[in-house]
Amino acid sequence: MKSTVLRFAAAVLICMASMLQVQAQERDVAPPPAAPPPAAPPPDAPPPATPPPSTPSKPSSDLTFEELVAKFPKPQTEQQVKRGDKKDGGIVYWVDQSGKHGLIAYEKDLGIVKWQEAMDACRNLGAGWHLATKDELDKLYQARDLKIVASYFLFQSSTELDQYNVWLQSLSSGEQSTGGKNHPASTCAVRAF
C-alpha cells in the first residue's frame, strides 16, 4: 500500500515539474542579466584552483522512480505500543494486532455522575475523549489486571438501549446490564489511537 502511495506521489511530482517547465517556456522569460566579469587577479597572485568537475544533475522528469523517491524524507514509522503504556493522558488497555492502534483509558477517576454529566465530562477532556461504549468497557474489564480504574463497581457506557436507558458494565464481575440515564454510575473516559 505504501509503495503504491509513493508511486502515485512521485507521478504527481513529475507531472507538476513538467508543467512548471512548460509554463516557464511559454512565458518566454528573459534570461537574467549577465554578471560582470570578475576582477583581474593581481600579477603576483597564484593561479586559481581548478574546480572539480561536476556531474550535471538530471531534470526531475528524467529521474527514475527510485531516484525521485530517494529525494524525499522517509515517513517516520509509528511506534508500537503495548498494554499498560502511558499515552496521551491515559493508560493503554487494549492494542490491536499491529501494535499501532488501540484504546486508552483516562488515568483519573471522573466520579459517579448521571449519564449526561458523564458524557460532558469525557468530551471536556479534549479531542478524541468520550464516554466508553459497551464494547470498550468490556475490553477494559478484560484488562482489569492493569488496575486502571480506582473502583470496579458499575460503569455506565455511551451505548444507549433506548432514550431512557444505557448499557452498564461491572468491572468486578464482567456482567453487563442496563440502567436508567438518571441513575448515577461510575464514569470512564476513553480514546482511540
Side-chain angles (χ1 to χ4, degrees):
M1 169 95 176
K2 286 184 182 179
S3 63
T4 304
V5 170
L6 289 174
R7 284 190 186 117
F8 176 76
V12 168
L13 289 172
I14 290 170
C15 289
M16 290 174 63
S18 297
M19 288 174 27
L20 289 173
Q21 287 175 344
V22 168
Q23 288 176 350
Q25 290 170 354
E26 289 176 351
R27 277 190 255 130
D28 196 22
V29 177
D44 59 343
T50 307
S54 63
T55 55
S57 62
K58 293 183 185 178
S60 60
S61 60
D62 293 338
L63 294 175
T64 66
F65 175 74
E66 288 77 18
E67 292 169 327
L68 187 62
V69 168
K71 287 187 163 213
F72 295 95
K74 294 189 176 20
Q76 293 184 352
T77 57
E78 295 177 41
Q79 188 176 356
Q80 287 200 335
V81 178
K82 62 184 183 309
R83 289 175 69 241
D85 285 353
K86 289 196 175 211
K87 183 174 175 60
D88 301 333
I91 300 172
V92 176
Y93 71 93
W94 180 83
V95 181
D96 71 0
Q97 290 180 349
S98 74
K100 297 176 184 173
H101 306 284
L103 296 170
I104 303 167
Y106 191 64
E107 59 187 329
K108 294 182 183 168
D109 189 359
L110 296 179
I112 297 174
V113 295
K114 293 181 180 178
W115 186 76
Q116 189 57 55
E117 294 171 67
M119 295 286 284
D120 294 339
C122 294
R123 266 192 235 114
N124 289 339
L125 293 174
W129 289 103
H130 61 274
L131 182 61
T133 66
K134 175 183 171 187
D135 293 337
E136 290 166 339
L137 281 176
D138 193 50
K139 285 181 172 85
L140 187 60
Y141 167 72
Q142 293 169 25
R144 64 193 175 280
D145 60 306
L146 297 175
K147 299 182 182 335
I148 295 171
V149 293
S151 68
Y152 284 86
F153 298 114
L154 211 52
F155 280 78
Q156 57 194 323
S157 78
S158 61
T159 308
E160 297 177 80
L161 180 66
D162 56 38
Q163 74 182 67
Y164 303 107
N165 298 291
V166 294
W167 282 96
L168 305 170
Q169 170 106 27
S170 167
L171 292 185
S172 59
S173 69
E175 180 181 340
Q176 291 188 331
S177 58
T178 59
K181 290 182 178 180
N182 288 326
H183 179 75
S186 295
T187 302
C188 182
V190 299
R191 67 178 291 173
F193 68 91

